[in-house]
Amino acid sequence: MKLGGSVITEKKRELSARPRVIDRISGEISSFRDELIIVHGAGSFGHPIVKKYGIGLGHEDFRRVGVSETKLALMELNSLVVGSLKRHEIPAVPFMPSSFMMANEGRLTSIGIEPLRRLLETGYVPVLHGDLIVDSMWGLAVISGDQIAVQLAKDLKARTVIFGCDVDGMFSSDPRSNSDAKLVPNLRFSELRSLIARAGGSAGTDVTGGMRGKLAECTRLADEPITVIIFNLAKRGNLARLLKGEEVSCTCITSG
Amino acid sequence: MKLGGSVITEKKRELSARPRVIDRISGEISSFRDELIIVHGAGSFGHPIVKKYGIGLGHEDFRRVGVSETKLALMELNSLVVGSLKRHEIPAVPFMPSSFMMANEGRLTSIGIEPLRRLLETGYVPVLHGDLIVDSMWGLAVISGDQIAVQLAKDLKARTVIFGCDVDGMFSSDPRSNSDAKLVPNLRFSELRSLIARAGGSAGTDVTGGMRGKLAECTRLADEPITVIIFNLAKRGNLARLLKGEEVSCTCITSG
């Protein structure tokens, strides 16, 4: 499950988390008992600092210190999420993507997944986040929580990937600028590419791509027996209903 | 370089860091320009919580939440260290051992070292800590910063391992109970085993073994062209002098 950075943070205010929203989400997860991995976006704990220092553009001293600063901010947000889950007695264990993933030109190429797999199998809930990852070509790359969630789902053969966003799902056009925009409730991986061009980006600044980026990541799951659900995590109760198998307004993507 | 948990935290008071000491240490490191990895002990951010929950003794729900709590505390201490280094313009990058290491019966068996190696080579300073590591036999094991420092030194063929403690080095007997105890300034790896039995433990509670544990770890470096230095990090200026190659009262272990 991906928790959108735009839901758990104030995207437009640097380093501004929404602790009450995070706590509400933890509460909605707390009665779920199946295997679960949580990946949260970086939101305003990532993008603004990455932009300020131009991280990924070189290894000058000031950018290097910017990497430090970004990592500290990401740890802070991750601590908030893990701490909130823990208060709801969810055995959350932080996993730091930059410690065990590598990328090339902005795409993940390797994940040392064994420690995570073992903890998942023994009942823990790994909690990851969008991160700065060592990149063979660029030095460091910003890797979105979306990309991480999709890659983990592939590697661990997940049954379901859930994207919690600040919109109800994928729309026929951008619902913010077009009042005729309609939610697309069901679609197939095979239809995805042609629809991507029409999907709107999410509000606020996001160096990792918003809804369009999310859907593009999902095309990589086309050959898997997997269900992708994109739903509105900002609406109270939605997540709890979804985890209980109840109906929620969302976009559901299947290979079917 | 290992920063002793007894130096950077109040070992006898749970969750009690020494931020001014940490800052003083960062200052002493700040003009060093060679490749450097920092491993810090968990001190009072690890041992008390591990003991309270009996972590490593099973996977019952309350222990699992204890793992969450321990990881949160370790992240907090790690953030304090990385944050302090960053304020001194050292490009510190946190590495979370539990995300990329595995153990068996309390001994490290694998380290997914590539991301760390790459960042080290491009001028960053990885910052690790004693941690809870997935263990094939025990589920989870407490792995000391000492063990991690020695294993990284082996894997990365380090020239020097520096242990910063709250004593001047290894003594002929326990200096706390024996006023005749003399600092051993130089010794060889080959002499280590016979001397270990006589080495005193460090003060306070330490589930990972104090000086005796440190020396036992060092025996594993016997076949490497490496120098181990054990010195008093609690004395202001000692570290800066050591890093400049100046003389410091310490124990120096070589293969020579």
Side-chain angles (χ1 to χ4, degrees):
Chain A
M1 173 160 59
K2 163 80 192 302
L3 308 179
S6 56
V7 179
I8 64 168
T9 75
E10 285 276 1
K11 264 212 162 165
K12 288 169 182 170
R13 266 204 358 237
E14 193 172 323
L15 294 179
S16 175
R18 288 174 166 149
R20 277 180 299 182
V21 172
I22 294 171
D23 238 47
R24 193 256 302 157
I25 293 170
S26 298
E28 296 194 38
I29 294 171
S30 61
S31 52
F32 186 70
R33 285 288 168 267
D34 209 346
E35 284 188 353
L36 175 67
I37 299 174
I38 294 173
V39 183
H40 62 79
S44 59
F45 287 70
H47 310 301
I49 314 174
V50 164
K51 283 199 166 176
K52 184 167 69 184
Y53 288 96
I55 286 167
L57 303 177
H59 285 298
E60 296 92 334
D61 282 353
F62 77 97
R63 289 200 227 270
R64 268 204 272 263
V65 171
V67 170
S68 251
E69 189 173 320
T70 310
K71 290 297 303 172
L72 282 163
L74 293 172
M75 274 172 97
E76 188 184 334
L77 180 60
N78 190 245
S79 284
L80 287 175
V81 174
V82 172
S84 167
L85 291 163
K86 191 228 132 197
R87 282 194 300 281
H88 286 84
E89 305 203 340
I90 298 163
V93 176
F95 272 80
M96 189 181 272
S98 56
S99 289
F100 67 109
M101 299 186 182
M102 308 252 303
N104 187 37
E105 297 192 32
R107 304 299 309 171
L108 290 171
T109 49
S110 89
I111 302 184
I113 209 162
E114 275 312 300
L116 186 154
R117 188 200 301 269
R118 296 283 186 95
L119 284 189
L120 180 68
E121 287 171 356
T122 43
Y124 293 92
V125 176
V127 184
L128 298 80
H129 51 81
D131 206 350
L132 297 179
I133 303 287
V134 169
D135 190 292
S136 318
M137 195 61 79
W138 299 344
L140 281 167
V142 176
I143 303 290
S144 70
D146 292 339
Q147 185 182 159
I148 290 174
V150 164
Q151 191 59 47
L152 288 177
K154 268 180 90 94
D155 290 357
L156 294 168
K157 305 196 179 303
R159 283 198 306 275
T160 316
V161 184
I162 299 174
F163 289 101
C165 313
D166 59 354
V167 291
D168 282 3
M170 179 180 158
F171 284 80
S172 55
S173 58
D174 190 335
R176 288 187 181 77
S177 55
N178 191 337
S179 59
D180 290 342
K182 285 194 176 57
L183 181 70
V184 180
N186 289 292
L187 55 99
R188 293 173 181 186
F189 285 112
S190 53
E191 304 168 274
L192 215 47
R193 284 193 189 281
S194 62
L195 286 166
I196 284 174
R198 281 189 267 157
S202 66
T205 337
D206 186 339
V207 293
T208 57
M211 181 65 73
R212 192 175 287 120
K214 212 176 296 297
L215 295 171
E217 292 298 339
C218 289
T219 59
R220 304 183 50 248
L221 294 170
D223 301 325
E224 316 284 335
I226 209 167
T227 301
V228 173
I229 293 166
I230 304 175
F231 82 108
N232 198 330
L233 178 64
K235 287 188 184 161
R236 177 183 299 272
N238 253 359
L239 176 57
R241 278 193 290 279
L242 196 65
L243 293 176
K244 281 186 218 152
E246 294 171 18
E247 193 136 323
V248 169
S249 169
C250 68
T251 296
C252 180
I253 314 175
T254 52
S255 50
Chain B
M1 174 160 58
K2 163 79 192 302
L3 308 180
S6 57
V7 179
I8 64 168
T9 76
E10 286 277 359
K11 262 212 162 164
K12 289 168 181 169
R13 263 195 14 228
E14 194 172 324
L15 295 179
S16 173
R18 287 176 167 147
R20 275 179 300 181
V21 173
I22 294 172
D23 238 48
R24 193 255 303 155
I25 293 170
S26 299
E28 295 194 38
I29 294 171
S30 61
S31 52
F32 186 70
R33 286 287 169 268
D34 209 347
E35 286 189 353
L36 175 67
I37 298 175
I38 293 173
V39 182
H40 62 80
S44 60
F45 287 70
H47 311 302
I49 314 174
V50 164
K51 283 196 166 178
K52 183 167 72 185
Y53 288 96
I55 286 166
L57 303 176
H59 285 301
E60 296 92 333
D61 282 352
F62 76 97
R63 287 198 229 273
R64 267 203 272 263
V65 172
V67 170
S68 253
E69 191 172 318
T70 310
K71 290 297 303 172
L72 283 163
L74 293 172
M75 274 171 95
E76 188 185 333
L77 180 59
N78 189 245
S79 285
L80 287 175
V81 175
V82 172
S84 168
L85 291 164
K86 189 226 134 200
R87 280 193 301 280
H88 286 84
E89 305 203 340
I90 298 161
V93 176
F95 272 80
M96 189 182 272
S98 57
S99 290
F100 68 109
M101 299 187 183
M102 308 250 304
N104 187 37
E105 299 192 30
R107 303 301 309 172
L108 289 171
T109 50
S110 87
I111 301 183
I113 209 161
E114 275 311 302
L116 186 153
R117 187 200 302 270
R118 297 282 186 94
L119 283 189
L120 180 68
E121 287 171 357
T122 42
Y124 293 92
V125 176
V127 183
L128 299 80
H129 52 80
D131 206 350
L132 298 178
I133 303 287
V134 170
D135 189 292
S136 318
M137 196 59 82
W138 301 344
L140 280 167
V142 176
I143 302 291
S144 69
D146 292 340
Q147 187 182 158
I148 290 173
V150 164
Q151 191 59 49
L152 288 177
K154 268 180 89 92
D155 291 358
L156 295 168
K157 305 197 181 304
R159 282 197 309 274
T160 315
V161 183
I162 299 174
F163 289 102
C165 313
D166 58 354
V167 291
D168 282 2
M170 179 180 158
F171 284 81
S172 54
S173 58
D174 190 334
R176 288 187 181 78
S177 55
N178 191 336
S179 60
D180 290 343
K182 284 194 176 57
L183 181 69
V184 180
N186 289 291
L187 53 97
R188 291 171 183 188
F189 285 112
S190 53
E191 304 167 275
L192 214 48
R193 285 193 190 279
S194 63
L195 286 165
I196 284 174
R198 283 189 266 158
S202 67
T205 338
D206 186 339
V207 295
T208 55
M211 182 63 73
R212 192 176 287 118
K214 212 177 295 294
L215 295 171
E217 293 298 341
C218 288
T219 60
R220 304 182 51 250
L221 295 170
D223 301 327
E224 316 285 335
I226 208 166
T227 302
V228 173
I229 292 165
I230 305 175
F231 82 108
N232 199 330
L233 178 64
K235 287 188 186 161
R236 177 183 299 270
N238 254 357
L239 176 57
R241 277 193 292 278
L242 197 65
L243 293 175
K244 279 186 220 154
E246 295 172 16
E247 194 136 322
V248 170
S249 169
C250 67
T251 295
C252 180
I253 313 173
T254 52
S255 51

